[in-house]
Amino acid sequence: MKKIIVFASGSGSNAEQIIKHCQETNVMEVVRVYTNNPSAKVIDRANSLQIPVGVFTREDFNNGKILEKLLQENPDLIVLAGFLWKFPEAIVKEFPNKIINIHPALLPKYGGKGMYGMNVHQAVLDNKEKETGITIHYVNEQYDEGAIIFQKSVTIEDCTTADAIAEKIHILEHQYFSEVIEKLLT
């Protein structure tokens, strides 16, 4: 069984989707969820699915404590699902091509520091894009610059708000993220 560790900062809908998908396969399992946000909804979602949760501080993240835990847990894949902090170089170097992220736009457009969630959707709307989508990519030392694994686009010509774009993106995320993870591990 391949081991996955998920990092999330917010509501955790993607984390929940991944956990449920794993529970339906005999290929992979989420062994832990880590969050930097002690009030994140992902904690409740993980707890309800009997997945252990680790809450950590920026200091723990940057001083090697989280790296130490990851080395002990030895995951086959680390999945960032709505995790907002830049991953420390030390972790990236210890787990080359074993850390992936999902981004709510078609990279390289709308990537980089501060480009997450509604910030991305609003920028896409403001620029009157006809389509947007999701990008699943490897994590490297820079925000949103790792090698692209998968992209899927969706037309947004009918969207008049960032919320409407977000709804379409969530559908794509839930439809494809778990599937791509499974393909990477098999």
Side-chain angles (χ1 to χ4, degrees), residues 1 23 36 39 54 57 76 79 93 99 116 123 126 131 133 142-143 147 159-160 179 181:
M1 191 81 97
Q23 289 174 342
N36 58 316
S39 59
T57 64
D76 295 289
V79 176
K93 285 187 173 160
I99 307 171
Y116 59 87
D126 292 346
E131 68 174 19
Q142 305 303 318
Y143 279 113
C159 294
T160 56
E179 188 180 291
I181 291 166

Side-chain angles (χ1 to χ4, degrees), residues 17-28:
Q17 190 74 24
I18 293 163
I19 293 165
K20 286 180 175 178
H21 180 88
C22 288
Q23 289 174 342
E24 294 169 4
T25 76
N26 59 357
V27 174
M28 56 195 190

Side-chain angles (χ1 to χ4, degrees), residues 87-181:
F87 245 56
E89 212 170 296
I91 297 176
V92 173
K93 285 187 173 160
E94 280 295 333
F95 295 93
N97 295 322
K98 284 190 171 186
I99 307 171
I100 66 169
N101 183 39
I102 190 163
H103 188 76
L106 298 170
L107 292 173
K109 284 182 159 185
Y110 307 105
K113 187 173 173 68
M115 292 305 286
Y116 59 87
M118 293 308 285
N119 295 350
V120 173
H121 306 315
Q122 191 61 52
V124 166
L125 183 69
D126 292 346
N127 287 316
K128 299 176 175 42
E129 296 285 355
K130 293 185 182 347
E131 68 174 19
T132 189
I134 59 169
T135 303
I136 299 169
H137 64 92
Y138 288 107
V139 172
N140 66 12
E141 295 83 4
Q142 305 303 318
Y143 279 113
D144 302 324
E145 291 184 14
I148 292 172
I149 299 164
F150 175 85
Q151 287 187 309
K152 185 69 176 176
S153 62
V154 63
T155 180
I156 53 167
E157 292 177 288
D158 59 332
C159 294
T160 56
T161 66
D163 285 328
I165 294 171
E167 283 179 35
K168 286 192 171 197
I169 293 302
H170 282 302
I171 290 167
L172 289 181
E173 289 172 339
H174 292 176
Q175 186 176 355
Y176 292 102
F177 202 11
S178 295
E179 188 180 291
V180 170
I181 291 166

Side-chain angles (χ1 to χ4, degrees), residues 1-5 22 25-31 73-77 98 181-186:
M1 191 81 97
K2 301 287 186 172
K3 294 190 299 186
I4 299 170
I5 291 180
C22 288
T25 76
N26 59 357
V27 174
M28 56 195 190
E29 63 180 335
V30 174
V31 295
E73 292 166 319
N74 193 27
D76 295 289
L77 195 64
K98 284 190 171 186
I181 291 166
E182 187 171 350
K183 282 181 183 166
L184 283 174
L185 291 173
T186 55

